Each structure stands twice: as C-alpha cells, then as structure tokens.
Amino acid sequence: MEPRKHTQVSPGEKKDGGDSSSVLNGHFDGPVKRPAGGAGGTGTGTVRAAAPQPPGAESDPHRPAASSVMESWREERTRSVEDNEMSLPSIAAAYTTILRGLGEDPQRQGLLKTPWRAATAMQFFTKGYQETIIDVLNDAIFDEDHDEMVIVKDIDMFSMCEHHLVPIFGRVHIGYLPNKRVLGLSKLARIVEIYSRRLQVQERLTKQIAVAITEALQPTGVGVVIEATHMCMVMRGVQKMNSKTVTSTMLGVFREDPKTRDEFLRLIRS
Amino acid sequence: MEYHHASEMNGAVEDYLKMSKHNGWCRDEKESKNAADEDKLPHIEKAYTTILSELGEDVDREGLLRTPLRAAKAMQFLTKGYKETVQDILNEAIFDENHEEMVIVKDIDLFSLCEHHLVPFFGKAHIAYLPNKKVVGLSKLARIVEIYSRRLQVQERLTKQIASAISEALEASGVAVVIEAVHMCMVMRGVQKMNASTVTSVMLGTFN
C-alpha cells in the first residue's frame, strides 16, 4: 500500500491515547454536518452520511452521548435460543392466519408446513438479536504494531427492512486504522452479521457496525460503507429495479482527514 | 423439466384451468374481492404484530409502530395475482395477423414469493410463441407473468401456468417459457449460496 498521507493529527489529539471517546466525542451530539466535498459517491446512488441521534442521546452538547451507545451494545441480547423454541408455535400460528387472510388454502400440499418453515426462516433472519459483540469478538483482538489502513470489502449483507418486513441485501465495505490493536478479519464480517440479521434501517445498521468496531478496538478511525438493494422498493411501491441505496459512517480520522477518507473510498471502489 | 407433446396440450390446459381457480370472475365480483381484502387486513396486521413481538422486538418503538400495517399491505400487494384473471387483462389485445414466425419477449423482470418460506424469489422470464394467425399485444405477455408471479409460488408451477395461459388464450402452434431466478430462501438462509440460480422451462406444441 502506498504510504499514507494522513498523519496530520491535530495538536492535542494523542495518537496512542485512542480511547473510543476521543474517536466519537463530539460526533454524536446532535445532527452533524459532513465537511464539504465529503465522501465521493460511487455514482450509482445517493451517498448519505449516517448521522441520526443514537438511542438515548441527549441534546446537551457537553455530554458525550457516545457512552449511552457504548452501553447499549454491551447489553443488547434480547432473546435466547430457548425463547426461539418457545415462540415458534405462536409465530407459526400467525403465519397460518396470514395465509388464510391472503386467500390461500393453508391445507394444500405445498403450504402444509409453510407456517413452520416461514417462522423458522424469520427467526433466522433476526438471529442478530440473540448474539452479542462480546461473544463474537472474544479472543480475536491482537496487539500488532500496524498503523496502516485495513480494509475488508464486499462483505455480502442480508437484512430485513423494519418497515415492510421484506429483505434488504447488498455489500458492506469496512476500513479502519488500527491503533496497536488489530481484529481478526472474519470478525468484521461477524459484526456485520450480528447487526444485519435484525429488523433494520440501513442508516442505523451502518452506524452500529462502525460504533461496534470503534468500541472493540479503539482504532484511530473507522469507515463503513453499505450499498444495498431494498426489495421494498424493487418488488412493490415505486418498483425501481436498479436502484441502490448507499450509506456511510466515518469516525475518527476518517471523518476529520479528507485524504484518509479518499484513500478508503478509492480502495473500496476498485 | 416437463415436456408436453402437442396432443397433451389439452391436458396441460385443463390443469391450468383447475390451477387458476379464480377464472371467470366478473367486475362486480372483483370489486367485492377488493372489499374482502380490506376486511382481511386487520387480521393479517394482528398476525404481524404477534410475529414481531415473538421475535423479541419492541413493537412500540418508533420504527415498528406502523410496520404490521405496512407489512400486511405489502403482502397483499405481493399476492395480488390471486385476484386477477387472464381474461381481464387480455381482453382486446389479441389481433389477427398473418405471422407465423417466432415472437420472443425476453428479460421480463419477475418477482414472486416462495410458498415454502414466504421469502421472495426474483429473476427474468423469457417467453416465445409461434402464432397461429393470432398475435397478442406484447405487454400482455408481461402482464400474464405478473398475474401468476404475484402469488405464493413454486418456480416449476409458475413456468407451466404462464405457458398454459398463453397457449389457451392464443391457440398458438407452440409456446416456450424459460424462467431463471434467484431464490432468497437459498441465498439468505439454509445453504446460503449467493450465486446459485434456478432455471425452469416449459415447451408446448411445436417447441417440444
């Protein structure tokens, strides 16, 4: 990789004191404006910065809202494998009602076991609720004296639109600048899986992935770009077959330094 | 893959008449069907609310507040093919034309729902027919695809229904339908093979 030209840390920002608050501080205190000429788009869709208010964030600009986001992902599991088994019959019964409501005959051969299959499938599509980052990351953080950009791109992602309960699918590109600690590469893909296998909104998904990596590694910066197709737009509604939605979250030096961001965006484009 | 000899085409047509049990509804019946849809909506909505809470989600959070209604309407849209009949959409678009060469409409985008997992599958349909003095408006071929695909389907049956509908409506010398689709039930879950696609075809009459 060519030598990076990003090492213009602003005075007062310590490079190796990188705890997550320094990366996130000030970035979640209300609507954040992207710097002009920010992320270059890939030309296939609209690039939007993900800057909604995180849950529980307050509008007080002096309180680092980041801490509530930190805590939220530590505590996140909302269901267990046992819960799944117990709720399967009621989800299957609900699907039988839906089939009848649509005018189909749930007793015909092709549909006999469909409520159970659909219920299991839906539980699989939302299995992210059963998993926590801590479980997935456990031992795969390594001390490594590497401070060049690490990118894992073209991670296939499948999620469910929380508004219409139809699939969203696309690709995730993740880049981070390690700060003495690197992460096992597949763990980046596993973090994507945890957050995407839920009822999601693409903007929130992008930010959750970025924040999880930041909290786990305390890197100098993280960039996440997601490019996805929403079946709710393709199969129904406006019915635009070829449209894609692109969202991105840039934290730390990726946000502050245009050259780093440029390098990241160029590398994921090729 | 199923192949039909010309003499068996009548059999396929009878199958098609049996399969599309909604044949022949008149306009009044269709309007009352739309009203019946509205009646069913609350039940479907309630079912979705149950599903969301059993999945461990918080149904009162802002993003999910109206999701049961949206999902119910989306599901009704995705299965609207049950209410439509070939007669309605073909009505005046069959023309006498002295053309006996192959007519192909290809790359018709197709979206359907797997009847086993209630998950989408989508792809392209390619249709060819050999007219027998009668040609059909080209968009009607795509509309026939829409009628049968907007249902809970199995790709094999979908292909056959489209082929049978066209041969019944046009009395063509031959009809061929090829569908190539990606099944989300294989991609998003189960075996999780991203790049696999399924191709089915039905050849009727002289195509056989």
Side-chain angles (χ1 to χ4, degrees), chain B residues 3-205:
Chain B
Y3 290 83
H4 296 265
H5 297 288
S7 58
E8 284 179 352
M9 264 177 71
N10 277 336
V13 164
E14 272 163 28
D15 281 344
Y16 139 72
L17 286 174
K18 272 188 238 148
M19 282 187 286
S20 81
K21 26 184 192 138
H22 308 283
N23 239 356
W25 277 339
C26 68
R27 211 162 286 277
D28 288 336
E29 284 170 326
K30 268 180 59 182
E31 276 165 8
S32 71
K33 281 223 83 204
N34 285 335
D37 257 5
E38 301 274 337
D39 287 339
K40 301 256 179 55
L41 202 56
H43 299 288
I44 307 181
E45 221 184 307
K46 207 152 147 265
Y48 271 115
T49 311
T50 310
I51 293 173
L52 288 179
S53 55
E54 295 287 337
L55 288 174
E57 261 286 4
D58 168 17
V59 285
D60 294 320
R61 72 172 170 88
E62 194 215 352
L64 291 187
L65 270 180
R66 293 182 60 210
T67 290
L69 178 62
R70 283 185 291 241
K73 285 195 182 160
M75 200 49 125
Q76 281 187 333
F77 177 85
L78 296 176
T79 53
K80 68 180 168 69
Y82 288 122
K83 300 198 302 258
E84 298 162 351
T85 70
V86 177
Q87 267 90 319
D88 290 337
I89 57 133
L90 276 190
N91 243 342
E92 284 124 29
I94 299 187
F95 308 104
D96 297 315
E97 197 73 37
N98 196 0
H99 184 86
E100 283 160 9
E101 301 287 333
M102 200 181 295
V103 178
I104 302 179
V105 179
K106 57 180 188 161
D107 294 329
I108 302 171
D109 287 307
L110 173 157
F111 300 93
S112 189
L113 277 177
C114 158
E115 73 177 16
H116 298 139
H117 301 93
L118 300 185
V119 179
F121 67 93
F122 52 87
K124 288 182 191 256
H126 313 281
I127 300 178
Y129 72 101
L130 275 165
N132 189 7
K133 308 289 184 222
K134 287 200 223 167
V135 298
V136 69
L138 299 169
S139 76
K140 304 301 177 274
L141 294 171
R143 286 186 191 272
I144 292 177
V145 170
E146 272 284 292
I147 287 182
Y148 290 112
S149 59
R150 297 288 185 186
R151 300 180 179 192
L152 302 184
Q153 276 288 9
V154 160
Q155 193 177 325
E156 295 86 335
R157 182 197 316 137
L158 170 61
T159 322
K160 184 151 86 160
Q161 282 176 320
I162 296 172
S164 307
I166 297 171
S167 63
E168 146 84 356
L170 289 186
E171 291 150 3
S173 321
V175 177
V177 177
V178 175
I179 295 183
E180 182 174 345
V182 170
H183 291 244
M184 289 277 104
C185 53
M186 268 180 75
V187 170
M188 282 179 80
R189 59 166 288 291
V191 278
Q192 298 192 55
K193 295 295 180 189
M194 311 289 151
N195 301 314
S197 64
T198 307
V199 181
T200 52
S201 60
V202 167
M203 310 282 168
L204 299 179

Side-chain angles (χ1 to χ4, degrees), chain A residues 27-185:
Chain A
H27 292 315
F28 287 117
D29 297 342
V32 177
K33 295 197 178 22
R34 297 298 302 280
T42 56
T44 54
T46 333
V47 177
R48 287 179 287 142
Q53 285 283 5
E58 317 205 336
S59 48
D60 175 5
H62 300 296
R63 174 181 178 273
S67 56
S68 61
V69 181
M70 293 321 137
E71 282 149 17
S72 71
W73 75 255
R74 281 188 200 285
E75 302 303 325
E76 265 194 62
R77 185 181 307 175
T78 61
R79 72 183 202 214
S80 64
V81 175
E82 295 75 27
D83 287 339
N84 273 355
E85 285 171 13
M86 291 193 345
S87 51
L88 201 59
S90 20
I91 305 182
Y95 271 114
T96 310
T97 311
I98 292 173
L99 288 178
R100 240 181 247 121
L102 293 174
E104 261 285 7
D105 168 20
Q107 300 305 316
R108 73 170 170 88
Q109 192 220 25
L111 293 186
L112 264 181
K113 291 177 69 191
T114 290
W116 293 92
R117 282 185 292 243
T120 318
M122 196 51 118
Q123 285 185 334
F124 180 86
F125 296 144
T126 53
K127 70 179 168 67
Y129 292 125
Q130 295 163 218
E131 301 160 348
T132 66
I133 302 291
I134 299 179
D135 293 337
V136 151
L137 286 187
N138 242 342
D139 301 318
I141 298 182
F142 309 104
D143 297 313
E144 197 73 37
D145 192 11
H146 183 85
D147 58 2
E148 300 281 336
M149 200 181 293
V150 177
I151 297 179
V152 178
K153 60 179 191 166
D154 294 329
I155 302 171
D156 288 306
M157 178 275 292
F158 301 93
S159 190
M160 289 295 268
C161 161
E162 75 176 14
H163 298 141
H164 300 93
L165 302 184
V166 276
I168 301 171
F169 54 87
R171 297 191 152 163
V172 182
H173 312 285
I174 301 177
Y176 72 101
L177 268 170
N179 189 6
K180 309 289 187 225
R181 295 164 71 179
V182 299
L183 182 60
L185 298 170

